[in-house]
Amino acid sequence: MGTVPIAPEQASNFAYWHDLIFYTLSALTAVFTILVGVLVISFVIKYKKGSNADRSNPPHESKIMEFTWIVIPTGLGLVMFFAGAKLFLDMRTPPANAMEVYVIGKQWMWHSQHSNGVRENNTLHVPLGKPVKLTMISQDVIHAFYIPEFRTQYHVVPGRYTQQWFVPTRVGRYQLFCNVYCGTQHSEMGGYVYVMPPDDFEKWLENGGDTVKPMSLEQSGQKVYNRLGCNNCHGAKSNMRAPSLAGIYQSKRRMTDNSVAVADEAYLRESILRPYNRVNYGYEKQMPEYAGTVTEEEVLQLISYMKTLGGAGDVEGAPKTLEMDPRKGSSPVPPTSSTVGAAGAISAQSNATPGQRPDQNSVGALAAQAPSKN
């Protein structure tokens, strides 16, 4: 006859320390509850009305007792506080070499996308023994991405990216839940996390479960970038219509109110969906708002593509750049110039995706869509 486990198995780097803190707190709670309960009952019995207990000289103080019940509980409390704080900080600080997976919560499913474009619905494949960072956002209401065996959970909220990370330590299939009530079908919003040996995971990731190799996030972003005609205004250099996006990621941007913002993922997302919230210095409200026009998945793709737009742009964050007015002394980039993704703007199809061309910085999205000859 099989035994019934009192807790899910430990399958991540955080599980052991999480359980150690939890069970230690539970044990301390039980010990002090029993101790106080036994003392209360003992004193009630000993000093009940009519008992023969000596009440002639009751003690009014005991320094040893006071020292004991102050120092010991305080010391135990501090130990548990620092243990919990260390675990919390570790769980909120993903390593720089972590593999990143994007997760979008929807009513009522989980959509995840790997960096090379492999997509999954209600499943997540990860390699054994390697750190995995989840960058998450909700398309509708608040959700919570919860893997009991990993002892990891974090809220997935609309309009803001949240993150959690872990290192899987056991090969297997583990359940995935939404742990915040999110509507009538909340109980159905679940799935599985598959932990695979690194070699098997690399083969799975390369194949993508499809006969045609999927586009990467950057390639999908280039397709969206050209479909929206972003390159009609955003050229290789800033012009009167719009600033350049070359080298924009993590650069410093001066706003019309003279504040400076770092172009991270949150800034880029806001600039795509609601560009009028913060307008770059030297420009007016000219860019269309894409809130309600592009999905969260397309926003992630666009941001990934923008990260690839390096080079000799004029938004690298030098003090001189922050003070300049891009409209002075510059002219719009002509359509024939070497702008980022310019081929998409002159394509016969509005949603066409350029392939590799010698005069542009393409990420080869057209080639990625081509059926395999094998």
Side-chain angles (χ1 to χ4, degrees):
M1 185 176 180
T3 59
V4 178
I6 61 174
E9 65 177 302
Q10 299 173 348
S12 80
N13 59 317
F14 297 125
Y16 171 80
W17 295 106
H18 175 281
D19 287 357
L20 180 62
I21 294 174
F22 174 79
Y23 290 125
T24 302
L25 284 173
S26 299
L28 289 174
T29 301
V31 167
F32 281 99
T33 300
I34 293 173
L35 176 62
V36 172
V38 169
L39 290 175
V40 168
I41 294 173
S42 299
F43 290 146
V44 167
I45 294 174
K46 181 178 181 180
Y47 293 104
K48 67 179 181 179
K49 185 177 181 180
S51 67
N52 295 324
D54 183 13
R55 299 178 175 85
S56 60
N57 188 26
H60 294 285
E61 66 176 28
S62 172
K63 296 189 182 300
I64 295 178
M65 183 178 295
E66 291 177 2
F67 181 83
T68 301
W69 73 39
I70 290 175
V71 173
I72 293 179
T74 300
L76 291 173
L78 288 175
V79 169
M80 299 311 302
F81 169 78
F82 284 111
K86 183 181 185 306
L87 180 62
F88 174 82
L89 293 175
D90 289 343
M91 296 181 75
R92 302 308 312 141
T93 310
N97 64 337
M99 182 190 81
E100 188 166 24
V101 180
Y102 292 96
V103 175
I104 297 176
K106 308 175 183 180
Q107 292 177 317
W108 286 270
M109 65 176 292
W110 294 108
H111 174 81
S112 56
Q113 186 164 353
H114 298 261
S115 59
N116 72 337
V118 173
R119 298 173 175 84
E120 304 184 70
N121 289 327
N122 292 331
T123 60
L124 176 63
H125 289 72
V126 293
L128 175 70
K130 295 186 177 181
V132 179
K133 179 177 71 173
L134 305 181
T135 298
M136 309 175 295
I137 196 167
S138 170
Q139 189 166 295
D140 34 57
V141 298
I142 297 177
H143 303 282
F145 196 90
Y146 176 43
I147 310 172
E149 287 82 0
F150 291 2
R151 309 299 194 270
T152 57
Q153 172 188 288
Y154 208 73
H155 283 180
V156 182
V157 300
R160 181 165 64 91
Y161 293 118
T162 58
Q163 292 182 337
Q164 64 171 304
W165 77 280
F166 48 80
V167 178
T169 56
R170 290 189 180 183
V171 173
R173 186 184 76 166
Y174 306 103
Q175 285 192 306
L176 162 66
F177 297 101
C178 173
N179 211 29
V180 168
Y181 181 73
C182 56
T184 55
Q185 294 176 251
H186 161 70
S187 61
E188 300 176 17
M189 189 172 175
Y192 294 96
V193 177
Y194 294 88
V195 180
M196 309 171 67
D199 292 341
D200 293 345
F201 175 77
E202 291 300 329
K203 293 178 182 178
W204 174 88
L205 196 63
E206 183 178 354
N207 294 334
D210 201 340
T211 56
V212 179
K213 188 175 181 180
M215 289 191 294
S216 67
L217 275 174
E218 292 81 4
Q219 291 167 335
S220 299
Q222 185 184 21
K223 183 176 180 179
V224 178
Y225 186 89
N226 290 304
R227 174 171 61 83
L228 298 177
C230 302
N231 43 25
N232 290 338
C233 297
H234 297 284
K237 295 290 183 181
S238 296
N239 56 68
M240 290 188 295
R241 289 175 293 177
S244 170
L245 300 182
I248 186 172
Y249 183 62
Q250 295 295 354
S251 66
K252 296 180 180 179
R253 317 287 293 184
R254 187 171 295 282
M255 304 294 111
T256 52
D257 62 358
N258 213 35
S259 64
V260 176
V262 176
D264 54 12
E265 286 91 345
Y267 171 87
L268 294 177
R269 179 181 180 276
E270 182 183 38
S271 298
I272 294 169
L273 299 179
R274 290 172 289 276
Y276 299 161
N277 286 0
R278 290 189 288 184
V279 180
N280 276 209
Y281 177 79
Y283 292 96
E284 299 176 355
K285 296 181 178 181
Q286 304 178 63
M287 178 175 168
E289 293 186 345
Y290 288 103
T293 302
V294 296
T295 65
E296 289 292 350
E297 183 178 358
E298 289 174 327
V299 171
L300 289 173
Q301 293 167 353
L302 282 170
I303 292 174
S304 295
Y305 178 58
M306 290 180 189
K307 290 181 180 181
T308 70
L309 302 180
D314 57 358
V315 292
E316 296 297 333
K320 177 178 67 174
T321 301
L322 294 175
E323 299 297 338
M324 67 177 293
D325 186 338
R327 299 183 300 171
K328 296 179 180 180
S330 62
S331 59
V333 179
T336 57
S337 66
S338 177
T339 58
V340 178
I346 60 176
S347 174
Q349 298 181 352
S350 61
N351 65 342
T353 305
Q356 293 286 359
R357 288 183 47 167
D359 61 340
Q360 75 172 66
N361 178 26
S362 171
V363 292
L366 183 61
Q369 293 187 101
S372 173
K373 294 182 180 180
N374 297 330

